[in-house]
Amino acid sequence: MKKSLIIALSAMAAASAGAAVKLPAYIGNNMVLQQNTQIEIPGVATPGAKVTVTPSWGKAVKAVADAQGNFSVTLATPAAGGPLSITFDDGDVLTVDNILAGEVWLCSGQSNMEMPLAGWGQVKDFQTEIAMSHNPNVRLLQVHKNVSTVPLETVEFNGGGWMECTPSTVPNFSACAYFYARELADKLGVPVGVIDTTWGGTSAEAWTPVEYLESVPGFDAEKSDLKAAGGDVEKMRQLNDARFEQWRESFKTNKTDYAVDKYHGGEQGWGVMRTPAMWESTALPGFDGIVYMQREIDIPAAWAGKKLSLHFPGIDDEDITYFNGKEIARGSGWNSERSYTVPADLVKAGKSFITIVITDTGGEGGIYGDASKMYIECDGERKTLTGDWAYNVSCDFSTLPPSPLSIGSSNYPTVLYNAMVNPLRNFPVKGCIWYQGCNNVGRDAQYAVLFPQMVKGWRDAFNNPDMPFYFVQLAGYLAPNYCQPDSKWAALRNSQLSVLNLDNTGVAVAIDLGNPGDIHPKNKQEVARRLSLLARNKTYGQEVACEAPQCVKSTVSGSKLTLTFDAPVHATSAAALGFIIGDKDGNWQPAVAEISADGLTVTLTAAKIKKPVAARYDWADYPNGNIYSADNLPVAPFATDIKY
């Protein structure tokens, strides 16, 4: 056992109040053990104590606690079944019971994997799904969110540890993970445990071990600081603070401020933005930076001289809020509701205005969320603040050097791997499912290197170089567009496929499950089903279709470009949609597509493209492709001219 793990055992929480033996938090009642393998169980007892560990399915194993009280035993796990138990006896007896043996999967990623059945998620038919969720053969384990610049050995879990799946335990659990477990438990006929280790709005580099970032382009400052700090958190903080101050200096020379003591709506240079909505889907696609937003309101005479409260469902990421030109509050956190008090002395009858200076450091930005939570209130009377807001850009971060991330950020390289994956590496799992990528949009070339490195790092951590790893390709999002060769979302989807160069990987295509106005599509049941098809076929050997045909060849003859697939495809309507073709000068046009009778080739033409050199399919933020396999699995977006 690694020295760091032995030392860390002294911090383990007791699995049972009053018992002498302490165990890792992932060892507890209701857990699922990966069947037919071996598990090393470390623990802490009284120094020098003789510990007898007895599994209900096999022979007792003995160990002696060292001078620090650390001990370790290795157990062979049985075939699927249960309930089982394990007793730990060092004079006091601790029993871990209601254990099942079966299949265990690690489920990770950002918000589309985190998305709970209820809560902010409210997936398709969530109320019915929750009501029907009682399933003792499905067990849930949810990692508590945490960050660390150094690898941790211990981890905390929400809900106290492993839980049986019931209508009371599943609502705030990952919907994808739950539906995946349900599918496997049903189709394999064995218990399934799923570990939900997720964090919305996070980038792949945060989930990657530091040593596996060495070959990834970028992150130079962060990698340098991590190496220079050598695990010293305070030194890491000092380095980070110095970089941030340097960036602030460049920021000061680039920003343009607008007066907050007057209302600017209607002035030249000020636009109008509908709220609540992320500004990427309305007025400012792809924008990161600082935006001034203003809204004029009528204050009734009855409200004059009284305190008011301002409410916003969410502001991404940070805000400074003013009322009639006076600052009333500051807030932060992309997923935090805001509730601010307007002092009585600022409240006058008649026209008033609210100014919000919003800083969005990356990803989506703006005032967003449930419209019913966006209002101004006095003595129980409310006025909505939804609708049109005036806006103007103060600072476009694309014109500045990249902002250094805080070491407390959930997007700092390595911090989520260190805190939320590394502590689990001694608990055997069958494989991983992954749904992430939104936060890396715009960095597709980097992601094509980063994503496979992350997978390699996880496999090495779990000491399983062949560990299955199945992922979801990003769904359609933002405004429908049927010819968008510069789509950053399409480029990221394409770069996700780079991980398929590794063995025991697979992609669940979700392009057809998206919503142009919602980055969190609701049909997680189908996402999970497609992931489960990959596992059933590739991991468990069941004869089920799990992947759509792939384009294996592209040939040009005059004005025609012909694509050859490795299995038949068909269109779901009379016209085959979603293809574009381009020439050597970078001109692109939607293509007329003809599918051959055997479904193995698709011939493309476009009136304005006389000499095509490349073709792309479903290459847009939110494309319109309708090409499927014989088993109705969607063909993945692809480009003949961009390969990873």
Side-chain angles (χ1 to χ4, degrees):
M1 185 188 302
K2 293 182 180 180
K3 182 178 179 181
S4 59
L5 176 58
I6 297 173
I7 295 172
L9 292 177
S10 61
M12 291 177 180
S16 176
V21 171
K22 296 179 176 63
L23 300 171
Y26 52 72
I27 302 293
N29 297 337
N30 308 313
M31 69 177 172
V32 178
L33 294 173
Q34 177 59 43
Q35 64 172 325
N36 298 322
T37 188
Q38 289 191 328
I39 181 171
E40 181 184 4
I41 303 178
V44 175
T46 303
K50 296 179 180 179
V51 183
T52 301
V53 181
T54 308
S56 62
W57 62 89
K59 295 181 179 179
V61 179
K62 297 181 182 295
V64 177
D66 65 17
Q68 288 74 44
N70 299 309
F71 72 90
S72 176
V73 297
T74 299
L75 301 179
T77 62
L84 309 167
S85 64
I86 307 173
T87 61
F88 298 81
D89 186 351
D90 69 340
D92 292 315
V93 176
L94 166 65
T95 300
V96 179
D97 56 20
N98 197 28
I99 301 169
L100 299 177
E103 298 298 300
V104 182
W105 285 80
L106 190 68
C107 311
S108 189
Q110 59 180 114
S111 54
N112 270 298
M113 183 63 83
E114 178 185 355
M115 187 175 178
L117 277 75
W120 65 266
Q122 297 189 354
V123 299
K124 176 185 174 184
D125 301 326
F126 74 97
Q127 292 170 316
T128 300
E129 292 285 13
I130 291 170
M132 298 176 64
S133 65
H134 182 78
N135 189 339
N137 271 343
V138 170
R139 303 292 173 86
L140 315 173
L141 184 63
Q142 188 175 62
V143 177
H144 184 71
K145 291 183 173 67
N146 191 21
V147 298
S148 175
T149 56
V150 293
L152 300 183
E153 299 293 344
T154 59
V155 64
E156 295 181 4
F157 297 104
N158 298 332
W162 285 95
M163 301 175 290
E164 286 193 14
C165 185
T166 69
S168 64
T169 60
V170 81
N172 292 311
F173 198 80
S174 161
C176 265
Y178 161 64
F179 292 134
Y180 180 78
R182 184 178 69 179
E183 284 284 329
L184 289 188
D186 177 58
K187 299 302 191 298
L188 301 178
V190 300
V192 175
V194 278
I195 303 173
D196 170 0
T197 181
T198 57
W199 196 322
T202 56
S203 304
E205 59 268 23
W207 294 97
T208 305
V210 64
E211 58 269 30
Y212 290 86
L213 287 174
E214 287 300 323
S215 61
V216 179
F219 318 120
D220 293 338
E222 292 86 353
K223 289 187 288 190
S224 174
D225 288 356
L226 286 164
K227 185 176 182 179
D232 185 326
V233 176
E234 183 54 36
K235 187 174 181 180
M236 188 75 204
R237 194 177 307 280
Q238 292 171 2
L239 293 167
N240 188 249
D241 288 347
R243 291 191 185 279
F244 198 78
E245 284 306 311
Q246 290 176 355
W247 180 79
R248 278 189 180 277
E249 289 302 314
S250 67
F251 166 83
K252 289 176 183 177
T253 62
N254 282 272
K255 72 175 181 178
T256 303
D257 282 330
Y258 298 92
V260 297
D261 59 356
K262 63 173 289 189
Y263 180 67
H264 295 274
E267 288 184 5
Q268 184 176 2
W270 284 71
V272 175
M273 183 187 302
R274 297 287 293 179
T275 61
M278 293 295 194
W279 59 45
E280 279 82 357
S281 61
T282 56
L284 297 169
F287 178 81
D288 298 323
I290 300 176
V291 177
Y292 280 57
M293 296 185 65
Q294 291 189 322
R295 168 68 181 264
E296 201 168 43
I297 56 173
D298 286 311
I299 299 297
W303 290 16
K306 296 181 178 180
K307 287 194 303 184
L308 309 180
S309 59
L310 285 177
H311 298 268
F312 299 96
I315 300 178
D316 189 347
D317 296 303
E318 301 174 358
D319 67 283
I320 307 174
T321 298
Y322 302 80
F323 188 85
N324 286 338
K326 302 294 184 181
E327 181 180 332
I328 62 168
R330 298 184 178 217
S332 64
W334 69 270
N335 59 348
S336 300
E337 294 184 15
R338 309 295 205 268
S339 179
Y340 299 148
T341 298
V342 180
D345 62 344
L346 298 181
V347 183
K348 314 294 182 184
K351 293 288 186 183
S352 291
F353 64 96
I354 301 165
T355 305
I356 307 178
V357 183
I358 301 176
T359 301
D360 173 38
T361 57
E364 296 180 301
I367 305 172
Y368 76 101
D370 183 348
S372 69
K373 296 181 178 181
M374 187 171 171
Y375 58 90
I376 187 169
E377 183 176 33
C378 180
D379 293 339
E381 182 183 354
R382 296 181 178 181
K383 282 180 170 289
T384 183
L385 294 175
T386 62
D388 291 341
W389 283 61
Y391 79 93
N392 207 326
V393 171
S394 169
C395 184
D396 182 347
F397 284 177
S398 68
T399 66
L400 302 177
S403 167
L405 288 169
S406 164
I407 62 170
S409 167
S410 57
N411 276 315
Y412 200 90
T414 78
V415 296
L416 299 185
Y417 168 80
N418 291 337
M420 299 178 65
V421 178
N422 189 73
L424 303 171
R425 70 192 188 283
N426 293 303
F427 190 76
V429 300
K430 187 68 173 183
C432 304
I433 58 172
W434 173 261
Y435 194 163
Q436 188 276 338
C438 301
N439 250 51
N440 289 84
V441 168
R443 296 187 280 139
D444 50 284
Q446 182 189 63
Y447 197 86
V449 181
L450 170 62
F451 190 22
Q453 284 296 104
M454 189 202 82
V455 174
K456 291 176 185 177
W458 285 28
R459 286 175 166 177
D460 283 353
F462 281 86
N463 195 28
N464 185 353
D466 298 317
M467 182 169 65
F469 194 102
Y470 305 129
F471 68 96
V472 182
Q473 192 183 47
L474 296 183
Y477 176 55
L478 298 175
N481 194 330
Y482 307 140
C483 186
Q484 192 181 2
D486 60 349
S487 168
K488 294 180 180 179
W489 281 76
L492 196 284
R493 292 185 195 107
N494 193 51
S495 71
Q496 286 181 292
L497 303 180
S498 64
V499 85
L500 297 179
N501 294 319
L502 302 178
D503 292 337
N504 294 321
T505 58
V507 55
V509 179
I511 191 68
D512 57 335
L513 301 177
N515 182 329
D518 190 350
I519 200 171
H520 302 117
K522 302 297 188 182
N523 189 358
K524 291 297 187 281
Q525 293 91 329
E526 180 61 15
V527 172
R529 188 188 75 87
R530 293 176 186 178
L531 284 167
S532 74
L533 292 174
L534 293 166
R536 290 171 59 195
N537 178 294
K538 293 173 174 287
T539 301
Y540 299 110
Q542 294 188 348
E543 293 185 5
V544 294
C546 67
E547 294 172 310
Q550 295 182 347
C551 177
V552 293
K553 187 169 68 171
S554 171
T555 56
V556 176
S557 177
S559 62
K560 296 182 178 181
L561 189 151
T562 299
L563 303 173
T564 301
F565 289 82
D566 58 6
V569 298
H570 71 277
T572 57
S573 63
L577 305 174
F579 294 97
I580 62 175
I581 54 175
D583 60 23
K584 65 181 179 61
D585 296 320
N587 300 307
W588 291 87
Q589 290 290 316
V592 175
E594 294 184 7
I595 301 177
S596 62
D598 61 7
L600 293 175
T601 62
V602 179
T603 301
L604 308 176
T605 58
K608 295 183 179 181
I609 305 296
K610 302 302 182 183
K611 295 181 178 181
V613 297
R616 298 180 185 179
Y617 173 68
D618 260 1
W619 198 273
D621 298 344
Y622 189 88
N624 67 332
N626 65 348
I627 309 302
Y628 285 75
S629 72
D631 298 284
N632 290 317
L633 292 172
V635 169
F638 66 87
T640 63
D641 57 322
I642 305 176
K643 300 291 186 181
Y644 289 112

